[in-house]
């Protein structure tokens, strides 16, 4: 088989799945997906090796912006490009119209970004004319970095190709192709309106820095009438666990790769460490640094990563290194209560059967009338685990849009996902009746046996009196003496896999925002920080003060004895 017809995707998949190249679980799943799709009968997409190889040959002819020497692509880069360009429908339009590509820093992201952008700018099809390609980012400066990479590369091409030199014109921050009237330019949220905005390709560079979905929505709304668009997220992990990349895209691609979410038009490649413990073994580093497959790059990369890791360990500050060099999401706050990775590990795809189960309910009621939370804990006897979930009630005084901007939470989206309920009062304040009705419906619909409803006495109001008529209520004092040990226990239960949850975005936001305050060896979640963002977790912690004492039929009191002997945090 000649290099022109070589099936790079299958070669890569075989190397990964045979263990010849070590890879993350998500990369393995991406390979399994490709091989499985090749066998699908009556599939409306086909894999065209020639189309896949065309862009590979193009990029390997482009000069490196530092050395001027043509790029040589690594096998994983050929796999990514082959997937994006090899899979097409019967019209030749791309199958994957959205892609998520993530890996540690310095792993050849530049080649992919600049190569795809310039290829579509010069040789893209459908439309044949007036193609719009945008290098986008959260800030104008970051967007210009990606754009300038493309410009520098094409400048070198222009210097050796008279035909390309005649075709391309650069005016300020825009490249124009005289042959096809296509444009390539940077785009950020600071960019003003653009006439006839219709991005064939939008590259979201370092999407982890985006605090909202604004840029994604701008790109995708402009692609509505296009048959062959591509939105490409290409980024390392980050520190904002409430960013749309982590809260929305990351769990979504997890579902696609596991097969629990069906989306034939979304490609995902995530090179990451499967756990933090893996960094102790150098052989594992290739999982997040796939460029280590290239022998000529290996020694210098390992030397630099070792240096970064050693320095971070000596300073006892691993956060940045884990994120940038090993592509592991980390909270920016050292006092964070739970690691995002630990919370993600306790995620389950489907809610367990809860009908007829015991339930412990926690309430965190609004002090000023803009957010209240109901959380519940259900012991699952069959697995000896606790299932947790939550719902919030949002005041609308001042407008939901203003509240969403202030809290940096998309409440309208959460309402559509049934994680929150908006107040129906004319005043916009929380309606206690809605909370009572929600609890009653939750209990009745699932035939739950309410053990206790636990609440914070400071925020108690008339709702407590009403609920106490039919449920046993527990006043949870909000101090170290009451909450410290349950707070420690809950964290250990999460880490050990004894707490499970479905993908409740609202609760995850609360977990990501929770930080601890300490008093000697005692700890509790600081409710003065991010007051309007941790309410679901605060309600959950109130319920946990009683739920932790639940006796599983198969467990007895073994866990309580264990925790009496180990309360280190």
């Amino acid at each position: 088989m000649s290099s022109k017809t070589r099936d790079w995707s299958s070669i890569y998949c075989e190397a990964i799945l045979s263990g010849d190249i070590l890879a993350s679980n998500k990369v393995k799943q991406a390979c399994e997906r490709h091989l499985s799709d090749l066998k699908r009968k009556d599939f409306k997409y086909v894999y065209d090796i020639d189309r896949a190889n065309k862009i590979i040959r193009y990029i390997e002819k482009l000069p490196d912006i530092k050395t001027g020497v043509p790029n040589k692509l690594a096998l994983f880069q050929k796999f990514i490009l082959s997937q994006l360009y090899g899979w097409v429908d019967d019209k030749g339009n791309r199958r994957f119209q959205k892609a998520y590509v993530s890996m540690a820093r310095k792993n050849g992201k530049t080649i992919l970004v600049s190569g795809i952008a310039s290829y579509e700018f010069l040789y893209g099809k459908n439309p044949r004319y007036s193609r719009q390609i945008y290098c986008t980012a959260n800030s104008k400066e970051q967007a210009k970095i990606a754009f300038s990479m493309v410009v520098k590369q094409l400048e070198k091409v222009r210097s050796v190709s008279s035909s390309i030199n005649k075709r391309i014109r650069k005016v300020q921050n825009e490249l124009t192709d005289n042959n096809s009237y296509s444009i390539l330019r940077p785009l950020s949220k600071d960019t003003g309106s653009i006439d006839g905005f219709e991005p064939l390709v939008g590259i979201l560079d370092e999407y982890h820095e985006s605090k909202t979905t604004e840029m994604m929505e701008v790109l995708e709304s402009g692609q509505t009438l296009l048959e062959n668009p591509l939105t490409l997220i290409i980024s390392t992990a980050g520190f904002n666990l409430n960013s749309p990349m982590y809260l929305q895209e990351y769990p979504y691609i997890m579902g696609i790769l596991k097969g629990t979410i069906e989306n034939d038009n979304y490609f995902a490649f995530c090179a990451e460490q499967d756990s933090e413990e893996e960094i102790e073994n150098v052989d594992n580093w290739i999982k997040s640094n796939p460029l280590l497959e290239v022998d000529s790059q290996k020694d210098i990369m390992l030397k630099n990563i070792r240096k970064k890791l050693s320095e971070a360990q000596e300073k006892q500050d691993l956060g940045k290194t884990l994120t940038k060099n090993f592509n592991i999401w980390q909270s920016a706050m050292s006092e964070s209560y739970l690691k995002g990775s630990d919370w993600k590990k306790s995620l389950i795809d489907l809610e367990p059967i809860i009908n007829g189960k015991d339930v412990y309910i926690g309430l965190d009621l609004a002090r000023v009338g803009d957010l209240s939370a109901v959380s519940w804990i259900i012991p699952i006897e069959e697995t000896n685990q606790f299932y947790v979930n939550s719902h919030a009630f949002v005041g609308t005084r001042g407008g939901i849009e203003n509240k969403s901007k202030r809290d940096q939470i998309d409440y309208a989206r959460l309402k559509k996902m049934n994680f929150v309920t908006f107040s129906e009062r004319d005043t916009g304040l929380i309606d206690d009746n809605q909370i009572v009705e929600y609890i009653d419906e939750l209990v009745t619909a699932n035939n739950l046996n309410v053990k206790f409803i636990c609440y914070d006495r400071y925020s108690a109001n008339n709702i407590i009196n009403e609920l106490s008529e039919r449920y046993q209520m527990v006043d949870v004092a909000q101090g170290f003496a009451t909450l410290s040990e349950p707070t420690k226990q809950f964290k250990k239960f999460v880490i050990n896999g004894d707490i499970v949850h479905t993908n409740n975005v609202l609760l995850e936001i609360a977990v990501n925002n929770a930080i601890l305050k300490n008093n000697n060896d005692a700890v509790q979640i600081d409710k003065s920080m991010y007051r309007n963002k941790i309410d679901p977790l605060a309600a959950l912690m109130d319920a946990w003060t009683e739920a932790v004492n639940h006796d599983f039929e198969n467990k007895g009191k073994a866990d309580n004895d264990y925790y009496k002997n180990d309360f280190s945090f």
Side-chain angles (χ1 to χ4, degrees):
M1 183 182 293
S2 70
S3 60
K4 288 187 177 181
T5 58
R6 191 165 292 173
D7 183 358
W8 294 112
S9 279
S10 293
I11 292 171
Y12 183 70
C13 291
E14 290 169 6
I16 293 297
L17 299 179
S18 68
D20 289 343
I21 298 177
L22 197 61
S24 68
N25 289 332
K26 291 184 179 64
V27 170
K28 291 178 183 177
Q29 290 168 339
C31 291
E32 290 169 347
R33 182 190 188 192
H34 171 67
L35 296 179
S36 176
D37 286 347
L38 288 175
K39 300 175 183 177
R40 289 172 67 174
K41 295 181 179 180
D42 301 322
F43 195 32
K44 65 179 182 178
Y45 301 102
V46 297
Y47 183 66
D48 188 326
I49 296 174
D50 291 334
R51 287 177 182 268
N53 287 342
K54 186 175 180 181
I55 187 171
I56 291 173
R57 291 197 302 272
Y58 167 78
I59 293 180
E60 289 197 321
K61 291 180 180 179
L62 292 175
D64 182 273
I65 60 174
K66 294 180 180 177
T67 65
V69 177
N71 294 305
K72 184 172 178 59
L73 295 175
L75 192 52
F76 83 91
Q77 293 168 322
K78 293 179 180 180
F79 171 73
I80 293 170
L81 293 168
S82 296
Q83 291 294 292
L84 295 181
Y85 286 87
W87 281 104
V88 294
D89 62 17
D90 56 2
K91 294 182 180 179
N93 292 322
R94 68 180 99 246
R95 166 193 173 181
F96 293 118
Q97 299 188 349
K98 189 170 184 178
Y100 178 111
V101 176
S102 182
M103 63 196 76
R105 293 185 65 191
K106 303 300 181 181
N107 273 272
K109 180 169 69 73
T110 301
I111 296 175
L112 293 174
V113 169
S114 59
I116 290 173
S118 63
Y119 180 79
E120 293 289 347
F121 174 61
L122 293 173
Y123 303 112
K125 295 181 179 179
N126 195 6
R128 183 176 180 182
Y129 297 103
S130 301
R131 296 182 298 277
Q132 299 178 22
I133 293 85
Y134 293 94
C135 298
T136 81
N138 189 51
S139 66
K140 187 180 296 183
E141 291 73 21
Q142 182 65 41
K144 286 181 179 179
I145 291 173
F147 173 73
S148 66
M149 285 189 266
V150 181
V151 171
K152 290 176 182 177
Q153 206 163 44
L154 288 182
E155 284 294 331
K156 290 186 178 294
V157 174
R158 291 176 69 184
S159 66
V160 296
S161 172
S162 59
S163 62
I164 295 297
N165 187 44
K166 292 176 181 177
R167 286 182 61 175
I168 298 176
R169 182 166 57 96
K170 181 179 182 296
V171 178
Q172 295 182 338
N173 289 320
E174 180 174 288
L175 286 178
T176 303
D177 176 23
N178 295 325
N179 285 13
S180 66
Y181 313 109
S182 298
I183 63 168
L184 192 157
R185 61 180 298 185
L187 178 71
S188 71
K189 64 181 181 180
D190 303 320
T191 306
S193 60
I194 302 172
D195 293 335
F197 183 67
E198 216 172 39
L200 175 65
V201 175
I203 299 171
L204 289 155
D205 190 29
E206 299 300 354
Y207 190 52
H208 71 269
E209 295 179 353
S210 293
K211 297 179 180 179
T212 70
T213 59
E214 184 178 353
M215 286 306 304
M216 179 81 75
E217 291 168 358
V218 166
L219 289 174
E220 293 185 336
S221 63
Q223 295 173 335
T224 304
L225 298 178
L226 294 174
E227 292 184 309
N228 195 39
L230 173 63
T231 299
L232 172 60
I233 297 168
I234 187 159
S235 177
T236 59
F239 304 101
N240 181 5
L241 300 188
N242 287 331
S243 68
M245 182 175 171
Y246 185 75
L247 274 185
Q248 297 178 32
E249 303 302 327
Y250 189 63
Y252 192 77
I253 66 109
M254 286 172 63
I256 290 174
L257 294 173
K258 286 193 295 184
T260 57
I261 294 176
E262 185 176 346
N263 189 335
D264 288 331
N265 305 119
Y266 198 142
F267 170 72
F269 179 94
C270 186
E272 63 181 5
Q273 299 302 143
D274 293 316
S275 69
E276 290 184 19
E277 290 74 19
E278 289 186 336
I279 68 171
E280 300 301 326
N281 186 343
V282 175
D283 292 340
N284 290 325
W285 293 1
I286 192 174
K287 287 188 175 185
S288 55
N289 294 271
L291 199 59
L292 286 172
E293 74 171 66
V294 180
D295 290 337
S296 62
Q297 303 281 349
K298 188 173 183 179
D299 288 344
I300 186 65
M301 285 187 68
L302 289 177
K303 176 183 176 182
N304 289 331
I305 296 173
R306 281 194 184 99
K307 181 180 177 182
K308 289 278 187 181
L309 180 59
S310 177
E311 185 176 331
Q313 288 172 331
E314 289 174 1
K315 294 179 179 178
Q316 297 184 339
D317 185 11
L318 277 173
K320 290 182 179 179
T321 301
L322 290 174
T323 298
K324 298 303 179 185
N325 296 103
F326 297 101
N327 207 32
I328 301 175
W329 288 87
Q330 295 282 300
S331 172
M333 297 175 291
S334 59
E335 306 89 352
S336 292
Y337 174 47
L338 280 167
K339 291 182 179 179
S341 56
D342 288 331
W343 188 249
K344 277 281 193 286
K345 286 178 184 176
S346 60
L347 176 68
I348 56 177
D349 296 322
L350 297 174
E351 182 179 76
I353 297 173
I354 64 173
N355 188 64
K357 302 285 188 184
D358 292 339
V359 64
Y360 299 83
I361 297 174
L363 297 179
D364 192 72
L365 303 175
R367 292 174 172 81
V368 294
D370 63 353
L371 192 72
S372 290
V374 176
S375 297
W376 55 97
I377 303 173
I378 299 178
I380 308 299
E381 302 288 345
E382 294 82 358
T383 60
N384 291 333
Q385 293 173 308
F386 293 95
Y387 169 69
V388 303
N389 211 334
S390 188
H391 191 86
F393 299 83
V394 183
T396 57
R397 185 175 57 174
I400 285 296
E401 288 188 8
N402 290 333
K403 180 171 176 56
S404 294
K405 289 180 180 178
R406 184 178 72 246
D407 295 350
Q408 293 185 9
I409 296 175
D410 189 347
Y411 289 111
R413 174 174 170 266
L414 293 181
K415 183 176 184 294
K416 289 180 181 178
M417 300 173 74
N418 295 319
F419 292 139
V420 303
T421 297
F422 289 172
S423 172
E424 295 178 352
R425 283 187 168 185
D426 293 338
T427 61
L429 298 178
I430 299 296
D431 187 343
D432 288 348
N433 291 328
Q434 288 180 300
I435 300 176
V436 172
E437 289 172 2
Y438 186 89
I439 293 173
D440 287 341
E441 184 176 347
L442 174 70
V443 171
T444 302
N446 297 286
N447 190 30
L448 296 173
N449 174 37
V450 179
K451 302 290 286 185
F452 301 103
I453 293 183
C454 308
Y455 64 95
D456 173 0
R457 71 175 68 171
Y458 183 76
S459 61
N461 54 28
N462 293 333
I463 191 175
I464 303 302
N465 296 328
E466 183 172 352
L467 290 171
S468 63
E469 295 178 3
R470 49 193 178 281
Y471 303 116
Q472 186 169 349
M473 309 297 290
V474 175
D475 177 354
V476 181
Q478 300 296 298
F480 289 106
T482 303
L483 291 172
S484 181
E485 291 185 3
T487 300
K488 295 176 181 180
Q489 289 173 338
F490 187 82
K491 177 175 181 176
K492 288 186 177 182
F493 271 60
V494 170
I495 294 172
N496 292 336
D498 294 324
I499 300 288
V500 295
H501 61 93
T502 47
N503 188 29
N504 186 322
V505 178
L506 174 76
L507 185 55
E508 184 168 11
I509 290 172
V511 169
N512 293 340
N513 280 321
I515 67 171
L516 290 176
K517 60 181 179 181
N518 297 269
N519 183 8
N520 295 322
D521 290 333
V523 299
Q524 72 178 91
I525 293 170
D526 190 349
K527 293 177 70 173
S528 68
M529 298 293 291
Y530 299 95
R531 178 63 188 89
N532 293 329
K533 298 179 183 180
I534 66 166
D535 307 74
L537 182 61
L540 195 64
M541 207 54 60
D542 287 340
W544 181 247
T545 60
E546 293 294 334
V548 69
N549 297 316
H550 181 85
D551 260 347
F552 284 105
E553 292 179 3
N554 300 327
K555 265 189 160 182
K557 297 183 179 180
D559 283 341
N560 288 337
D561 293 337
Y562 168 78
Y563 283 110
K564 286 178 182 177
N565 296 325
D566 181 9
F567 258 98
S568 62
F569 202 71

